[in-house]
Amino acid sequence: MRRYLQLAVITVAAGAIYPLLYLRQNFEVSMLETFEITATQLGQCNAILGVMFVVTYLPSGWLADRVAPRHLMSMSLLCAGLLGAWFSAGPSFAELLLIYAGWGVATGLTFWSAHIKAVAVFARDDEQGRFFGILDGGRGLFEALLATLAVAAFAFWLAAGQPTDAALSRVVWLYVGTMLVLAPIVLLVVDDSRSRGDRHQSASLTGTLDGFKLVFAKREVWLAALCIMAGYQLFFATYAFSAYMQQNFGLTAVAVGAITVAKLWMRPIGAVGAGFVGDYLDREKVLGGLLVLGSVLLAGLALLPLGAPVAILLAIVLVVGLVTYAVRGVYWATLERCDVPDAVKGLAIGGISLIGYAPDVYLPLIRGALVDGIPGRWGYGIYFLAIAGFGIVGAMAAWRLARIAVRPRASGV
């Protein structure tokens, strides 16, 4: 129960720290109006965020092997919240770039590897799927609760005559306040005693270079990274659903917000369900099947006629959400198959993240260029189809990892 309590606190922290960074998922058009920027400029902000993630992933892993997770996570929540307070004031485009860069450091360097390593260490080998499923599903549940409250409050303030920028500022403060409240809770509740033992182990290694060699000599690590890259791209595509529906299917900002919030409620179902199924079946084979299904559904959304009934559009969006969240719920469980010691597990997480989350850098730029350069549905359509194609590549990597992982067990090792 103590492990599950800590898992719950880490899950809520993860659910609170990231939504503000990706506020465009539910409020993209309102953000463009409030900050007086273009889709390309907003894409540049997200690209800056992605660049900072890429730069900090490896140092984040190294840091997670040496510093207590509760200190890292608590500091992250505090810094991200303070940057959010600045964000709420309607900064200029230049200031937005600085804020997004700061968010990249606050959530990438000090939070990312720390929270994943903490969960990987808490869970036994036969619990990896369910623990990571609960982490992602619970995080999604908390995000959905916050988003539901945010969209409802946003609609209320608009109906009451508040201008868009004022209503959006209040929404931002909802997320900021949550992070600032959680910062001391994480510091007090999360137990880092095992982490201290891991740091002692890590210091006894012959050096950081030996750790790099140990981690990156494993082909399983590279295959896991490819699986996560494909799965994350499918998930990242869902950030475009809000603007895609509003600009091409004629839905209002409030209607689009309601649909995307409904999609968020698919996350706990998909992630937790996939985690438990993956523990009872073969996690990598389940992941491969989910990647294929998600790719087919995303391609179907790209090709859906613009005159299609809203009910069909809603159904596809919700099922895509369910499948992509199921992928997220199980893809970090591939870490157990990589057979990496706890002493360098943070470094492995950082290395896999460097590859797997590289889409944070290039997808916002690609999307902005396509949407601005090819007005209408086909800018989004090409974007969705390309991501769906790479999802098939990720499925092949997952099935290959499953075959590699079976051999040692078959030989009795």
Side-chain angles (χ1 to χ4, degrees):
M1 291 304 299
R2 186 177 184 180
R3 291 186 300 135
Y4 277 95
L5 173 61
Q6 293 182 75
L7 175 62
V9 172
I10 293 170
T11 297
V12 171
I17 199 169
Y18 287 105
L20 189 54
L21 282 63
Y22 300 103
L23 193 65
R24 68 184 299 179
Q25 182 176 11
N26 296 318
F27 298 100
E28 178 166 339
V29 174
S30 298
M31 289 175 67
L32 298 181
E33 294 176 3
T34 297
F35 299 119
E36 298 181 350
I37 57 177
T38 66
T40 298
Q41 288 176 312
L42 185 56
Q44 290 170 351
C45 290
N46 283 103
I48 288 290
L49 182 66
V51 168
M52 298 311 299
F53 283 160
V54 168
V55 170
T56 58
Y57 276 138
L58 276 177
S60 170
W62 180 89
L63 200 61
D65 288 330
R66 289 161 175 80
V67 180
R70 64 192 180 101
H71 292 141
L72 294 173
M73 291 185 287
S74 180
M75 183 170 62
S76 295
L77 288 162
L78 177 62
C79 293
L82 293 176
L83 287 167
W86 184 9
F87 185 72
S88 71
S92 66
F93 175 61
E95 292 174 312
L96 284 174
L97 293 175
L98 291 175
I99 291 171
Y100 274 85
W103 274 336
V105 174
T107 61
L109 180 63
T110 53
F111 191 89
W112 181 253
S113 293
H115 94 285
I116 292 179
K117 180 177 179 178
V119 175
V121 169
F122 292 157
R124 297 191 297 264
D125 288 350
D126 61 345
E127 297 175 329
Q128 293 287 322
R130 71 194 69 179
F131 264 60
F132 279 109
I134 292 170
L135 173 66
D136 197 77
R139 168 186 166 182
L141 177 61
F142 192 71
E143 287 183 7
L145 289 170
L146 286 177
T148 300
L149 179 59
V151 170
F154 183 73
F156 173 79
W157 289 322
L158 288 182
Q162 291 283 337
T164 300
D165 58 346
L168 187 65
S169 177
R170 293 185 178 187
V171 166
V172 171
W173 269 104
L174 170 66
Y175 290 107
V176 169
T178 304
M179 285 187 278
L180 295 180
V181 167
L182 282 169
I185 294 176
V186 169
L187 190 62
L188 294 172
V189 173
V190 174
D191 180 7
D192 59 13
S193 58
R194 179 163 180 179
S195 176
R196 285 195 292 271
D198 287 342
R199 293 202 302 276
H200 177 75
Q201 255 189 326
S202 183
S204 68
L205 296 177
T206 56
T208 301
L209 289 178
D210 288 336
F212 273 94
K213 292 177 182 178
L214 177 64
V215 168
F216 293 107
K218 291 179 172 290
R219 58 178 171 171
E220 292 92 339
V221 169
W222 294 95
L223 288 170
L226 189 57
C227 293
I228 290 176
M229 175 184 277
Y232 187 64
Q233 286 189 149
L234 285 173
F235 170 73
F236 202 97
T238 67
Y239 288 141
F241 287 179
S242 173
Y244 178 61
M245 291 186 290
Q246 189 169 348
Q247 294 174 4
N248 294 281
F249 287 86
L251 301 181
T252 66
V254 172
V256 165
I259 292 174
T260 54
V261 167
K263 177 183 68 66
L264 290 177
W265 285 98
M266 298 297 102
R267 188 167 185 174
I269 301 171
V272 176
F276 276 90
V277 170
D279 278 341
Y280 286 105
L281 302 177
D282 190 298
R283 287 189 289 259
E284 287 69 30
K285 290 182 180 178
V286 170
L287 175 59
L290 289 169
L291 285 169
V292 170
L293 180 58
S295 299
V296 171
L297 290 168
L298 185 61
L301 181 63
L303 301 174
L304 184 70
L306 297 182
V310 174
I312 295 178
L313 177 65
L314 173 62
I316 294 177
V317 168
L318 293 181
V319 177
V320 169
L322 180 68
V323 174
T324 55
Y325 292 136
V327 169
R328 286 178 61 98
V330 76
Y331 65 23
W332 269 110
T334 58
L335 183 63
E336 184 267 334
R337 293 291 179 91
C338 296
D339 193 27
V340 176
D342 284 350
V344 291
K345 191 158 283 180
L347 187 60
I349 293 167
I352 291 173
S353 299
L354 178 64
I355 300 166
Y357 295 97
D360 273 322
V361 177
Y362 58 80
L363 282 186
L365 297 177
I366 292 173
R367 176 189 165 189
L370 284 172
V371 171
D372 288 342
I374 308 176
R377 68 170 302 180
W378 285 114
Y380 290 97
I382 294 171
Y383 177 70
F384 292 152
L385 290 172
I387 290 175
F390 195 86
I392 303 300
V393 176
M396 295 172 64
W399 291 328
R400 176 62 178 164
L401 181 59
R403 289 196 297 270
I404 293 174
V406 164
R407 288 173 188 150
R409 290 200 293 269
S411 63
V413 177

